[in-house]
Amino acid sequence: MYIVLLGPPGAGKGTQASLISEKMGLVHVSSGDIFRENLKNLTPLGKQAQAFMDRGELVPDDLTIAMVKDRLNQPDCQKGALLDGFPRTPAQAEALAAMLKEWGLTVNLVPYISVPEAELIERLGGRWTSQKGRVYHVKYNPPKVPGRCDVDGSPLFQREDDKPETVKNRIKVYLQQTTPLIDYYKEQGLLVEIDGTKSIKEVGTDLLAVIKKLKK
Ligand code: ADP
Ligand code: AMP
């Protein structure tokens, strides 16, 4: 089963993907996490992506598509994946469809987590991230020990691109380049809107309900 989590930056895609991937045994594939890992390891891809990420722009489609294809080709993704942050442009969506088609598969479901802009800014401003990409929030999801990940105890950090100026640009980029995917997937009958303003737990319950319905 291939599920695409759609929604603006800060909607809760990463938070929900971590919860659902454990419950459903689906691999969580976050394009942002893969870019950040490349950046940390100073790989050629990381160096190419850095300037775009720092400005809150999208990394060019050719680089992003090649990177995600590579990830989805790994054995652990053969039975499905929970995609978080990809696709973000119509070209990426087409590339994903073409790739799955080669395997005789399709995207099965696109939950669209909707949250108004003012709330996104507050969420991203208070986001703390672990080395492994687990996310916390000072107010809405605080770690048990301040500054430490609940799962592995690693130090939490604030992402460079969560600064207010960059957040504003990321939301603008999302509105311009990613929102066309809402209609794209709606036309294919795959889109299910989820109210992302509810609590983390409630959003998780709603998401699991739509995924389980699909499995029946
Ligand atoms: P995305 O992956 O869509 O960018 P995240 O999952 O990283 O978003 O969530 C952004 C921030 O908002 C994090 O700090 C997270 O703890 C917090 N958050 C996520 N979902 C909710 C929610 N339903 N209510 C309040 N805060 C949330
Ligand atoms: P995220 O972790 O999803 O918020 O992504 C962080 C940053 O990584 C984005 O602002 C982009 O610069 C880059 N990025 C992640 N996914 C994509 C994608 N699908 N297409 C282009 N750039 C991406």
Side-chain angles (χ1 to χ4, degrees), residues 2 28 37 43 47 71 77 83 87 104 122 171 205 211:
Y2 290 85
H28 174 193
E37 190 63 25
T43 67
K47 287 179 189 164
R71 179 67 190 94
C77 292
L83 290 159
E122 198 203 346
I171 294 172
T205 305
I211 296 171

Side-chain angles (χ1 to χ4, degrees), residues 7-16 84 119 123-124 126-128 135-138 140-141 159 170 196-201 203:
K13 301 182 297 296
T15 302
Q16 297 301 335
D84 154 21
E119 204 163 327
R123 286 189 185 184
L124 295 175
R127 172 160 72 180
W128 287 80
V135 286
Y136 297 87
H137 190 279
V138 280
Y140 303 120
N141 184 24
R159 278 171 46 178
R170 286 165 60 208
T197 62
K198 295 185 186 174
S199 71
I200 292 176
K201 204 169 163 202
V203 176

Side-chain angles (χ1 to χ4, degrees), residues 31-32 36 53 57-59 64 85-86 88 92 159 170:
S31 44
R36 279 183 290 280
M53 294 174 77
E57 308 279 341
L58 294 187
V59 178
T64 306
F86 181 92
R88 260 176 157 99
Q92 293 179 13
R159 278 171 46 178
R170 286 165 60 208

Side-chain angles (χ1 to χ4, degrees), residues 151-201:
V151 180
D152 59 21
S154 67
L156 304 178
F157 66 94
Q158 278 191 296
R159 278 171 46 178
E160 271 298 307
D161 61 351
D162 279 346
K163 284 192 290 221
E165 323 81 75
T166 321
V167 163
K168 285 205 180 108
N169 195 40
R170 286 165 60 208
I171 294 172
K172 191 171 124 206
V173 165
Y174 165 80
L175 293 172
Q176 285 171 346
Q177 301 192 49
T178 307
T179 50
L181 296 186
I182 299 172
D183 279 343
Y184 174 87
Y185 284 122
K186 205 183 264 174
E187 278 158 20
Q188 295 178 26
L190 294 173
L191 197 91
V192 179
E193 186 163 349
I194 302 281
D195 178 359
T197 62
K198 295 185 186 174
S199 71
I200 292 176
K201 204 169 163 202

Side-chain angles (χ1 to χ4, degrees), residues 29-32 34-36 38-39 43-53 55 57-72 85-89 91-92 95-96 99:
V29 174
S30 155
S31 44
I34 307 176
F35 278 129
R36 279 183 290 280
N38 276 277
L39 217 78
T43 67
L45 175 65
K47 287 179 189 164
Q48 280 172 295
Q50 177 153 33
F52 298 99
M53 294 174 77
R55 290 196 299 265
E57 308 279 341
L58 294 187
V59 178
D61 280 338
D62 53 347
L63 289 177
T64 306
I65 290 167
M67 177 187 82
V68 175
K69 270 190 175 173
D70 192 49
R71 179 67 190 94
L72 291 181
F86 181 92
R88 260 176 157 99
T89 64
Q92 293 179 13
L96 175 65
M99 180 182 182

